[in-house]
Every structure is written in C-alpha cells, then in structure tokens.
Amino acid sequence: MAYSYDNQNIFARILRGEIPNNTVLETEHSLAFHDIAPQAPVHVLVIPKGPYVTYDHFAAEASAEEIVDFTQTVGLVCAQMEVTPGAGDAGYRMIANSGSNGVQDVPHLHIHILGGRMLGRMLSRNG
Ligand code: 5GP
C-alpha cells in the first residue's frame, strides 16, 4: 500500500517552524502542542515528526524507535496534563481521526488527548 504525504499540511509547517505552536512536550521523534480550537479544558495534539498520514501508515512504516517515542510521549502528555485516571484524576479520551469517514482535516497523524470535563459517549448517533 502506497501512502501519499502532503508536505504542505499545517502540521508539517508547524514542524518546520513556519507556524508557531504552543508546545506541551517535544522529544526526538514527537511533538505535543495545544489544539488551536480546544474542545475541552485539556485538548492536546500529539504528532510524530515523521511524514505519516494516519496511524495505520505510521504502524506500517515508522521505525520501532519512532513508535516507542510516540507512545511514550502520549503517556507523558497525559501525566503532564494531569488527566491520568491511574494517578487519581478523572481520565481522558484519545482520538485519531483518519481519512474521509474519520473526518480527518489535517493529513498528518495526530492523536487528540481530551480531558478536564465529562466527554459524554464516544459517538453521537447522528454523526
Ligand atoms: P482533525 O479534524 O484532523 O482530527 O483535527 C485537526 C485539529 O487540528 C483540529 O482540532 C484543529 O483545531 C487543529 N488545528 C488546525 N490548525 C491548527 C493550527 O494551526 N495549530 C494548532 N495548534 N491546531 C490546529
């Protein structure tokens, strides 16, 4: 399966420093920053620095080092934002919208981490 990556997407431009971001955490292979239009008191996006469109793309083509870094960054952001249920807070939701049915607006893999309020059920029935 060939994946095509658009290097003009907004997150690619953030990674190149062409657009500012409000960084939460940066590692060798990942960047976490606040969403520009937060939908909850905590709304952080975690992205790999490599050119991956979706999680399945990342899983198929990223190195083990990138995958470990990204996974650990997600966990560290949850801890930093104090939403981890294991540490006594109320929890969070991770979302990775993918492709057209997933209503992905930015074609660079990103995990939304949402918390700080009751988020309701996972999906509404009317889309
Ligand atoms: P998607 O719909 O692709 O899952 O989510 C894209 C997310 O990126 C949206 O929540 C949107 O608010 C966020 N976003 C779009 N442009 C920017 C930007 O320039 N900076 C930041 N920090 N977030 C952005």
Side-chain angles (χ1 to χ4, degrees):
M1 159 101 200
Y3 293 92
S4 129
Y5 180 80
D6 167 17
N7 65 13
Q8 291 306 314
N9 79 74
I10 199 109
F11 294 166
R13 298 185 63 203
I14 284 176
L15 285 168
R16 288 196 295 268
E18 295 167 10
I19 294 174
N21 75 90
N22 189 356
T23 299
V24 172
L25 184 63
E26 181 168 10
T27 66
E28 184 179 0
H29 296 293
S30 310
L31 180 68
F33 53 92
H34 292 281
D35 196 291
I36 203 167
Q39 295 186 39
V42 173
H43 190 171
V44 176
L45 302 172
V46 186
I47 67 173
K49 290 183 176 175
Y52 306 106
V53 182
T54 53
Y55 202 95
D56 55 289
H57 184 194
F58 182 66
E61 296 189 5
S63 68
E65 198 183 328
E66 290 174 292
I67 291 170
V68 168
D69 180 298
F70 186 67
T71 303
Q72 290 179 334
T73 300
V74 169
L76 289 170
V77 167
C78 291
Q80 193 170 320
M81 300 312 294
E82 300 183 330
V83 294
T84 47
D89 209 289
Y92 59 92
R93 180 170 298 151
M94 288 167 50
I95 299 173
N97 296 320
S98 306
S100 53
N101 276 1
V103 196
Q104 180 179 13
D105 289 329
V106 180
H108 181 113
L109 168 60
H110 49 286
I111 303 258
H112 297 256
I113 298 173
L114 296 142
R117 68 167 171 83
M118 167 55 71
L119 296 163
R121 293 280 171 195
M122 187 168 68
L123 295 173
S124 68
R125 291 188 186 280
N126 56 14

